[in-house]
Amino acid sequence: MSGFTVPWNEPSRVPLPKHLYVHVPLCRSKCTYCDFFSRADDGSVSHAELVEGTLESLRGWLTPEVRRVPLDTLYIGGGTPTVLGEDLVTLVRELTAILPLAEGAEVTVEANPESLSTELLAGLAEFGVTRVSIGVQSLDDAALALLGRCHDSGAALAAIRDAVSAGLDVSADLIAGIPGVPAESWAESLEAVIAAGAAHVSVYPLTIEAGTPMAEAIAAGQTAAPDEDSVVDAMDAAATLLSGNGFTRYEVANYALPGHESRHNAAYWTGWPYLGIGGGAHGMLSGDQARALGLVPEAELGVARVRYSYAAEPFPMRASTPLTTFETLTVPEALREDAMLGMRMTQGIAAELAELAGVNRALESLVVDGLVVREGGRWRPTERGWLFGNEVFGRIWGAVE
Ligand code: SF4
């Protein structure tokens, strides 16, 4: 080959992240427990406008100073991206025309049962989507009503089966510790999502966020608050049942059959930069990327990492939607952050990273408390460490040796 190089493949340019997160902040209606940034899709927002604003925003990152690289993972989350219907297929098609997918790329779309049709699944699969993450939450219809979900258990199971039939890898989200859900019903929910074909299951405890309708109903005595012991029991029961069915708990809340772990989420937990676009989305860039993009001055060589988020307004986002939060991390801070995030995963962190990050003493104190173990050249969280995750993360982040 001659020395020919296309403009976006100029080796001296800083490469953009190979992971892209796209936020679609629309849902059919708002669930009672939700404090994520999303709005009800009441017809006041044009889907086409939302798609165009998102694409314009992505194009805005493609300055001459950066080199586009094929995407290893693309994750379209929300909100409920599938409320966009066919416009979601357009979004996937156009995003991957701007930033093409690498061979074997993982492309995930978050979905809810009420907006997932077989036609939409086929369209998504045709344009490179490999995985859907379906918000099942529970297969107990009374619990679904309490959560304000706009689907029932039958629709949730049908969505999993349809996605599997479309050739997609399926992840199911479930919520542990919903008041009024008996242990047998919880076990049945887990068994049913596995039987329907989910190869990945995320289990989150029900948390009550201030300002949500559920928090208000609890404060008014209209709804029972989640009982802490029941939440822990439900999380434990999920761990036992899923591991009995061949799933590995690879992260505190995530279980997968072998080879079905989320590569996109693993990138977050192992310190890979990712571009985040969409109203309210977060992103993380290396210092070199941030300098090439002019987000920090060239002279600020001490900046190792930049975390940013987009403003929620205007809605939907435009090309000009500003970044609002903007946090810079030094090299020692970025290393401590890597150590902290890595402890969310079963594999923990390599001894070399702990050494570099200067967190050995903090980890040793966590070993004494039974929250961490050291084995095979790695530091790993124990079950108890996951249960007291804030203690583990706080001590690692606060460590200065
Ligand atoms: S579907 Fe998800 S993002 Fe939308 S309101 Fe419900 S919990 Fe929130």
Side-chain angles (χ1 to χ4, degrees):
M1 285 282 285
S2 70
F4 174 75
T5 170
V6 287
W8 51 268
N9 202 23
E10 162 56 50
S12 65
R13 294 179 185 179
V14 173
L16 276 175
K18 56 183 181 173
H19 304 284
L20 173 63
Y21 174 78
V22 179
H23 192 66
V24 177
L26 278 182
C27 291
R28 178 70 56 84
S29 59
K30 285 295 286 183
C31 302
T32 57
Y33 59 98
C34 179
D35 76 337
F36 300 141
F37 171 55
S38 74
R39 290 196 191 175
D41 185 27
D42 57 8
S44 59
V45 166
S46 146
H47 291 177
E49 205 183 316
L50 188 146
V51 167
E52 195 41 48
T54 308
L55 294 171
E56 275 177 16
S57 171
L58 177 58
R59 289 186 196 105
W61 288 93
L62 309 178
T63 68
E65 290 74 26
V66 294
R67 172 163 62 89
R68 301 183 210 189
V69 293
L71 291 174
D72 189 29
T73 71
L74 164 61
Y75 195 107
I76 305 182
T80 307
T82 43
V83 297
L84 293 176
E86 281 304 308
D87 288 311
L88 179 59
V89 179
T90 306
L91 179 63
V92 173
R93 194 186 64 219
E94 297 299 320
L95 284 169
T96 54
I98 297 170
L99 284 180
L101 299 172
E103 180 83 26
E106 175 191 277
V107 182
T108 305
V109 164
E110 282 186 350
N112 277 315
E114 69 281 355
S115 53
L116 199 55
S117 64
T118 50
E119 295 76 24
L120 180 55
L121 285 162
L124 293 172
E126 186 185 341
F127 286 98
V129 172
T130 58
R131 190 172 177 272
V132 280
S133 174
I134 303 177
V136 173
Q137 317 311 1
S138 176
L139 292 176
D140 180 309
D141 284 329
L144 290 172
L146 180 72
L147 297 175
R149 303 287 300 177
C150 42
H151 60 88
D152 62 13
S153 54
L157 285 175
I160 298 175
R161 291 195 201 102
D162 288 347
V164 171
S165 299
L168 297 171
D169 213 7
V170 175
S171 176
D173 278 3
L174 290 170
I175 296 180
I178 305 168
V181 174
E184 313 77 63
S185 173
W186 173 237
E188 282 163 18
S189 291
L190 288 156
E191 279 160 0
V193 296
I194 297 168
H200 184 285
V201 179
S202 302
V203 184
Y204 296 98
L206 178 61
T207 50
I208 305 303
E209 306 295 346
T212 58
M214 186 170 276
E216 282 162 19
I218 290 171
Q222 295 156 351
T223 301
D227 168 71
E228 232 173 79
D229 289 341
S230 306
V231 174
V232 172
D233 288 349
M235 295 291 285
D236 284 350
T240 305
L241 195 143
L242 287 161
S243 68
N245 281 277
F247 285 70
T248 299
R249 187 180 193 177
Y250 70 104
E251 193 262 352
V252 60
N254 286 286
Y255 301 79
L257 292 176
H260 296 269
E261 298 83 2
S262 162
R263 280 160 43 197
H264 185 85
N265 288 340
Y268 293 157
W269 303 319
T270 49
W272 284 93
Y274 62 97
L275 208 52
I277 56 167
H282 298 258
M284 190 266 270
L285 301 167
S286 69
D288 285 343
Q289 289 162 341
R291 280 183 287 274
L293 286 158
L295 292 177
V296 292
E298 279 293 336
E300 296 262 358
L301 292 173
V303 174
R305 178 171 292 172
V306 169
R307 290 192 173 276
Y308 68 84
S309 67
Y310 271 108
E313 299 290 345
F315 189 89
M317 82 179 306
R318 319 260 188 273
S320 57
T321 299
L323 300 181
T324 46
T325 66
F326 191 79
E327 183 193 8
T328 59
L329 279 75
T330 61
V331 172
E333 286 169 341
L335 288 168
R336 283 209 306 284
E337 185 173 74
D338 283 352
M340 186 175 72
L341 291 174
M343 293 305 275
R344 294 179 59 127
M345 303 185 77
T346 310
Q347 64 178 19
I349 59 168
E352 293 82 359
L353 171 60
E355 183 75 39
L356 265 178
V359 296
N360 277 343
R361 256 185 285 152
L363 289 168
E364 278 155 15
S365 77
L366 290 163
V367 169
V368 171
D369 292 339
L371 303 177
V372 164
V373 289
R374 184 174 184 171
E375 54 191 19
R378 301 188 73 85
W379 300 88
R380 302 172 206 272
T382 60
E383 283 282 332
R384 200 175 134 75
W386 270 337
L387 207 55
F388 296 97
N390 287 343
E391 185 63 31
V392 174
F393 306 144
R395 273 198 237 172
I396 292 174
W397 181 245
V400 179
E401 291 178 4

